[in-house]
Amino acid sequence: MPKVSLKGQQMPESPIRKLVPFSEAAKQKGVKVYHLNIGQPDIKTPHAALEAVKDNIPEILEYSHSAGFDSYREKLAAYYQKNNVQVNKADIIITTGGSEALLFALGSTMDAGDEIIIPEPFYANYNGFSVASGVKVVPVISTIEEGFALPPIADFEKLITAKTKAILICNPGNPTGYLYTEQEIQQLAELVKKHDLFLIADEVYREFTYDGDQHYSVMNVPGIEEHAIMIDSVSKRYSMCGARIGCIVSKNKAVMAAAMKFAQARLSPPTLAQIASEAALDTPQEYFDEVIKEYKDRRDTLIKGLTEIEGVKVATPKGAFYCIAKLPVDDADKFAQWLLESFDLDGETVMVAPAAGFYSSSNVGMDEIRIAYVLKKEDLIRSITILKEALKQYNS
């Protein structure tokens, strides 16, 4: 029998999605499952984005330009400029989600065997993207005790080798919700200049910051124009996860020329989704004001509830809509499966994402879970009650 590739064998399972069969089985038994495992917002997609598709159905669903619609890139550049990110449409390539933008970034900057340093815990698919690209992830651990702040620069520097090509961050962070300060971004900028590395920043949650804190983009840092690569997406900003539209942004012309060849190889990003994404750029600020207010309320509700559960430790997120919680269990993976297979509270249970899958280091995060606070406040309160009772029973 032919064998699958070594790369295929090494591809990690998604900690966000791997327990779906157990969730489906629970639902078939009549159990209601509260999904805390996945960052699928319940916020409505802007009406203008959906109307634009309905009003602009073409007679022929053609390819777009490989870089994306010219009109969309121009309008997107204007959006960034309004947010103090000084780029033009030539610095932007539209991709099939932020995921493809990350693959383009890795493919354009690294060869098989090269290394990328990533603060962990990190978005689980960074592991998968790296395996797919033949790139080795070199983790630098941030801790819940420090609120998942940027590890000391000395910790990064001691990991740099001749094979190191880039540092990758998510800002604000998935799965931690940590928002890097301007000072932390400046420290990374100095490091990549010193060692001639790329600084790749996944900034898909840029709008979602709380408590008066401001997002600071790698594209705002003078002097690293040739080093900085930004990844972005409409998925979370406009609650358009199914559109699968993102982009890669850089002023490095060689990087963008290489990325363009990858873009040409996959032909073009989705046509109808680009129409929706372009229209979404007209979404008024009031939409974001209301959404951010709602997420902050949800965050505060979740963190307060978690801290009241005996044995649970959690860091308060400063952005995005995730948190990492440390539980009084030995194996959060087994606990998460048990929640779906063997537990319910009055016919209801919760689905969480075991956090070990957000690390590349072995045996780290084994007692942690990621929670996405994308459910309405009442559902979060109920989920906390369920989790509290579940931990009591599991540990009894």
Side-chain angles (χ1 to χ4, degrees):
M1 175 179 171
K3 293 184 178 180
V4 301
S5 67
L6 180 61
K7 185 184 293 184
Q9 295 174 48
Q10 291 176 340
M11 278 292 287
E13 288 185 300
S14 167
I16 304 164
R17 296 174 180 266
K18 69 179 183 178
L19 296 176
V20 165
F22 299 100
S23 171
E24 291 173 340
K27 291 174 185 177
Q28 287 172 3
K29 291 189 295 184
V31 176
K32 179 176 180 177
V33 178
Y34 291 95
H35 285 272
L36 305 176
N37 63 302
I38 191 165
Q40 171 58 65
D42 64 354
I43 304 295
K44 288 186 177 180
T45 302
H47 184 68
L50 303 177
E51 285 295 306
V53 175
K54 189 174 74 173
D55 294 342
N56 291 280
I57 298 295
E59 291 185 3
I60 301 173
L61 200 56
E62 298 179 335
Y63 292 123
S64 78
H65 189 288
S66 292
F69 291 155
D70 190 74
S71 59
Y72 178 35
R73 290 161 60 222
E74 189 164 333
K75 198 170 176 181
L76 188 56
Y79 158 80
Y80 287 131
Q81 290 165 17
K82 188 175 70 174
N83 287 275
N84 199 34
V85 175
Q86 300 305 316
V87 296
N88 58 53
K89 67 180 181 183
D91 304 320
I92 302 170
I93 293 175
I94 306 304
T95 58
T96 308
S99 299
E100 187 175 67
L102 277 161
L103 286 168
F104 285 4
L106 293 176
S108 300
T109 61
M110 279 169 266
D111 295 309
D114 285 342
E115 298 175 354
I116 185 166
I117 299 174
I118 315 178
E120 61 177 0
F122 51 70
Y123 176 47
N125 283 333
Y126 294 165
N127 272 327
F129 298 144
S130 298
V131 169
S133 303
V135 172
K136 179 183 176 182
V137 171
V138 178
V140 54
I141 297 179
S142 62
T143 65
I144 196 168
E145 289 76 17
E146 296 295 327
F148 298 110
L150 187 76
I153 289 297
D155 290 358
F156 285 86
E157 197 149 25
K158 67 185 180 184
L159 297 173
I160 295 173
T161 72
K163 291 187 176 182
T164 306
K165 293 297 174 65
I167 294 171
L168 169 60
I169 61 170
C170 186
N171 185 34
N174 175 7
T176 66
Y178 186 77
L179 178 68
Y180 291 111
T181 65
E182 180 177 348
Q183 182 183 15
E184 287 172 326
I185 297 296
Q186 293 285 359
Q187 288 176 331
L188 288 172
E190 291 301 318
L191 185 66
V192 298
K193 279 198 296 184
K194 178 179 178 181
H195 293 278
D196 200 23
L197 306 175
F198 290 103
L199 179 55
I200 304 172
D202 181 346
E203 299 186 359
V204 303
Y205 301 97
R206 61 169 47 243
E207 275 77 18
F208 306 112
T209 64
Y210 315 114
D211 308 321
D213 291 321
Q214 298 294 313
H215 177 263
Y216 190 73
S217 174
V218 296
M219 303 302 292
N220 293 129
V221 185
I224 64 163
E225 290 81 5
E226 298 301 312
H227 303 260
I229 301 172
M230 183 176 76
I231 306 301
D232 206 355
S233 169
V234 304
S235 292
K236 314 301 181 178
R237 177 176 301 133
Y238 304 113
S239 196
M240 289 172 59
C241 296
R244 308 313 306 135
I245 293 292
C247 63
I248 178 173
V249 183
S250 181
K251 289 183 171 293
N252 185 313
K253 295 188 182 304
V255 166
M256 295 305 284
M260 186 60 183
K261 289 185 280 188
F262 285 96
Q264 290 169 344
R266 66 83 165 96
L267 305 182
S268 69
T271 297
L272 292 180
Q274 285 187 84
I275 292 172
S277 300
E278 183 173 336
L281 286 168
D282 292 326
T283 302
Q285 183 58 41
E286 289 78 12
Y287 172 89
F288 297 108
D289 293 340
E290 291 176 11
V291 170
I292 291 166
K293 181 181 178 183
E294 175 66 22
Y295 278 135
K296 183 182 182 301
D297 193 28
R298 294 178 183 186
R299 180 202 67 172
D300 294 344
T301 299
L302 176 66
I303 299 304
K304 181 178 183 293
L306 289 174
T307 55
E308 292 173 351
I309 301 176
E310 185 178 355
V312 172
K313 182 184 289 185
V314 63
T316 301
K318 298 181 179 181
F321 36 68
Y322 308 99
C323 73
I324 290 284
K326 184 183 285 287
L327 305 181
V329 299
D330 293 330
D331 190 329
D333 208 312
K334 290 180 180 177
F335 175 66
Q337 185 172 326
W338 175 84
L339 282 169
L340 298 169
E341 266 192 319
S342 307
F343 174 82
D344 71 86
L345 182 63
D346 300 326
E348 298 179 331
T349 192
V350 294
M351 185 176 182
V352 297
F358 295 90
Y359 293 83
S360 61
S361 298
S362 300
N363 301 316
V364 179
M366 298 296 292
D367 58 351
E368 297 174 356
I369 59 172
R370 186 195 75 165
I371 294 176
Y373 47 94
V374 292
L375 304 181
K376 61 185 179 181
K377 187 175 177 178
E378 295 78 10
D379 288 347
L380 288 174
I381 292 171
R382 178 60 179 164
S383 297
I384 293 163
T385 300
I386 294 169
L387 183 61
K388 182 178 182 178
E389 183 59 32
L391 286 167
K392 280 184 187 176
Q393 289 193 29
Y394 190 76
N395 290 322
S396 63

